[in-house]
Amino acid sequence: MSLVALASLFAAPAFAAPETYLVDPNHTYPRFEYNHFGYSNQIQRFNKTSGTIVFDRAARTGSVDIAIDARSVDTGYALFNEHLQGEDFFDTARYPTITYQSTAVRFDGDKPVAVEGKLTIKGITRPVTLTLSSFQTMPHPILKKDALGANASARIKRSEFNAGKYVPNVGDDVTLSIAVEALKQ
C-alpha cells in the first residue's frame, strides 16, 4: 500500500457528508409572544410547518430552510385567528407563507449555537439570528431513525414587517420561538 493510499484512509473520516433532515410537522411548532396593552404577554402558535435542515457536524456547517403556513395561526379563538390573518397583520390572502432561510450557522465546538438567516413575513425580508438554547442529534427511540431537535428564539419588531397595527399599545417587540424536530432522510 502506498503512502498516499494509507494517508487517504486516515483522512477519510474527517470528510463526513452533510446529513439532511426533514422537519417533523407533528413536533414542530413556531410560537410568537408579544405584550398585550401592558396587561400580559400573549403566546400564539402556528400549527403547520415544513422544511429541511442540513447538518454536518465534522465540517461545522449546516443550513435551515423553514416554511410556516401563516393560515395555521392558532390563538385558541377562531375569530382572533381570522383577525391575525387579515391585512393588518399576516395578510394571509396575499402572503400565506412565512419563510426562514439560513445564511450561516455558528458553532461552539461541534454544536450549533445560532443560525443567521433571512425571515420573510408579508413579502418583507429581514436578517434574523436565531439563538439555540438546545440542540440534540440521536436515534429516535420509537422510529429507530436518526433525528435532530432544537429550540431556537429571536426578537423582532413586527412593525418592520408591515404588521405594526396598534403599536405601541400592543407591543412592537415580538419574541419568536420554535421547537423543532426533524428526521434524517
Side-chain angles (χ1 to χ4, degrees):
M1 182 177 266
S2 74
L3 189 55
V4 173
L6 185 60
S8 68
L9 279 176
F10 288 109
F15 297 107
E19 298 175 325
T20 300
Y21 296 79
L22 285 184
V23 168
D24 176 355
N26 297 313
H27 293 96
T28 300
Y29 294 101
R31 296 179 312 265
F32 58 100
E33 179 178 351
Y34 56 92
N35 186 274
H36 186 250
F37 291 100
Y39 293 119
S40 63
N41 284 351
Q42 296 293 299
I43 303 171
Q44 318 302 343
R45 78 179 204 181
F46 297 98
N47 291 329
K48 295 181 181 175
T49 305
S50 60
T52 305
I53 299 169
V54 177
F55 179 61
D56 187 334
R57 187 182 306 269
R60 292 188 195 159
T61 61
S63 65
V64 176
D65 189 2
I66 300 290
I68 300 166
D69 182 346
R71 296 167 297 192
S72 73
V73 67
D74 186 351
T75 66
Y77 183 47
L79 189 59
F80 192 40
N81 293 348
E82 289 178 28
H83 179 63
L84 289 180
Q85 291 179 47
E87 290 180 18
D88 293 330
F89 298 101
F90 294 116
D91 195 2
T92 60
R94 293 192 319 175
Y95 306 102
T97 306
I98 297 168
T99 62
Y100 184 82
Q101 295 179 321
S102 67
T103 55
V105 178
R106 291 195 315 244
F107 282 72
D108 181 5
D110 64 351
K111 274 200 167 186
V113 294
V115 179
E116 298 171 9
K118 296 178 181 181
L119 177 66
T120 302
I121 301 173
K122 292 179 75 171
I124 299 169
T125 302
R126 300 263 188 248
V128 170
T129 299
L130 295 169
T131 301
L132 302 181
S133 60
S134 67
F135 179 85
Q136 179 69 35
T137 58
M138 64 183 192
H140 192 286
I142 296 170
L143 300 175
K144 307 299 183 205
K145 191 174 199 178
D146 286 342
L148 172 150
N151 288 298
S153 64
R155 288 183 62 100
I156 65 167
K157 292 201 176 291
R158 62 188 179 93
S159 59
E160 292 180 349
F161 293 92
N162 194 24
K165 182 123 181 171
Y166 305 120
V167 168
N169 295 318
V170 175
D172 194 19
D173 291 327
V174 175
T175 299
L176 303 175
S177 59
I178 182 168
V180 63
E181 292 186 19
L183 298 172
K184 185 176 172 186
Q185 296 307 291

